Amino acid sequence: AARRHIPTAVHESNAEPGLTTKMLSKYVDIVMVGFEESRKHYPHPERVVVTGTPVRGDFFLQTKAEARQKLGFTDDKPVVVTSWGSLGAQVMNDYMVDFVVRECREGTPFHHIYGVGQRYYSRVLEALKERGIDLADYPDVDVREYIYDMPVEMAAADIVISRSGAATCNEIAVSGTPSILIPSPNVTNNHQERNARVLSDRNAAVTIVEKDCTAQVLFDEIGRLLADPERRENMSKTLKTMARVDSTQRICDIVEELTKA
């Protein structure tokens, strides 16, 4: 299309360009990116426009109080949400078994919604049983195969713990939810860690690489964050300055402008 002088644009959600975007960025009219920090990775920064990455409108629909009410939380306990994607992550779910055991034995100090992922759900339930944990005795620990209503959970959450794919990082930014990000090491060009660092380098999230992560490390980090509401408030404020809530409109406007060229 570029060679035929047809207007062209690409959008890159990850913090650093992948192979395809890197190649095409030399030819297209405009490169649209998710975060300001992404601009420096392109050979023609004058062609780069920060649009943000579109997220579902559901992430804008409820306040924290409304989300907690939908989830049936009537007390003042903080809410922690952990999610490892639709299929799950073996290493992290192994850590999470130890994590759940500890939180149960310490009296469930927070509401915990835990999305295991389809591949490891039955394995996690069995491992908890083997460790003497009957989840029926711990109603504040909600272990699910998958979290289907993430906009509600994220709005209610005081802390989200997850991988750091581009979509997840943008959902966290839009919702302004403090997070602990454990990037997947099994991705091309380590792009998940680069996504996470965009947030944590501005103190808007905590990044822990998987090789340094254990149930103890996670539990301690959650404790520090929950004990420091001022830090979490600052994280939330910074996230909201980084997010582009009108990214869908920005992208549409750019495409329409290109068609007039």
Side-chain angles (χ1 to χ4, degrees):
R3 287 171 180 168
R4 290 172 177 265
H5 306 291
I6 297 171
T8 50
V10 294
H11 184 281
E12 175 61 75
S13 298
N14 287 302
E16 289 193 24
L19 180 61
T20 302
T21 305
K22 189 178 295 185
M23 179 181 68
L24 293 178
S25 67
K26 301 173 185 177
Y27 305 101
V28 298
D29 296 293
I30 292 179
V31 178
M32 297 176 280
V33 298
F35 294 104
E36 182 63 39
E37 287 82 351
S38 303
R39 190 188 299 275
K40 63 187 177 184
H41 298 296
Y42 293 88
H44 299 286
E46 72 280 2
R47 299 182 193 170
V48 178
V49 179
V50 182
T51 61
T53 296
V55 300
R56 284 182 289 160
D58 293 350
F59 282 90
F60 305 97
L61 294 182
Q62 53 263 309
T63 65
K64 190 181 194 71
E66 290 168 342
R68 287 181 66 99
Q69 185 177 30
K70 283 183 180 179
L71 294 172
F73 298 150
T74 57
D75 55 26
D76 294 327
K77 267 190 178 184
V79 178
V80 174
V81 174
T82 57
S83 176
W84 308 110
S86 57
L87 294 179
Q90 180 177 343
V91 172
M92 294 312 304
N93 280 314
D94 288 345
Y95 292 150
M96 291 307 299
V97 170
D98 292 336
F99 183 97
V100 171
V101 169
R102 176 170 174 177
E103 69 173 320
C104 289
R105 289 176 179 168
E106 293 196 7
T108 59
F110 39 78
H111 295 289
H112 184 192
I113 300 170
Y114 168 24
V116 178
Q118 182 182 43
R119 189 177 292 162
Y120 303 103
Y121 181 61
S122 59
R123 170 176 168 169
V124 165
L125 294 182
E126 187 62 34
L128 289 171
K129 285 182 182 179
E130 291 173 358
R131 298 284 294 276
I133 299 297
D134 183 348
L135 291 173
D137 297 330
Y138 303 96
D140 287 338
V141 182
D142 182 358
V143 180
R144 307 180 185 181
E145 182 176 11
Y146 187 72
I147 297 176
Y148 289 97
D149 49 353
M150 185 59 84
V152 176
E153 266 74 4
M154 198 170 284
D158 294 278
I159 301 172
V160 169
I161 308 173
S162 73
R163 293 301 202 192
S164 51
T168 297
C169 286
N170 279 277
E171 289 165 359
I172 286 170
V174 165
S175 65
T177 309
S179 62
I180 301 171
L181 302 174
I182 300 93
S184 171
N186 307 310
V187 295
T188 304
N189 200 28
N190 199 29
H191 69 258
Q192 283 209 5
E193 183 172 347
R194 290 169 169 81
N195 292 340
R197 297 292 181 191
V198 168
L199 303 186
S200 60
D201 284 352
R202 293 180 60 176
N203 298 317
V206 175
T207 297
I208 303 173
V209 294
E210 188 177 274
K211 66 182 181 63
D212 296 333
C213 188
T214 64
Q216 179 74 44
V217 167
L218 279 178
F219 210 88
D220 290 347
E221 191 60 53
I222 287 172
R224 283 190 287 270
L225 283 173
L226 290 179
D228 194 344
E230 183 178 356
R231 182 185 176 194
R232 286 186 284 114
E233 179 64 23
N234 288 335
M235 293 170 80
S236 183
K237 288 178 179 177
T238 302
L239 285 166
K240 289 180 178 179
T241 66
M242 298 174 72
R244 299 291 194 277
V245 298
D246 59 344
S247 55
T248 300
Q249 187 61 52
R250 285 174 181 242
I251 292 169
C252 289
D253 289 346
I254 287 169
V255 172
E256 288 180 359
E257 191 62 32
L258 278 175
T259 64
K260 299 174 185 176

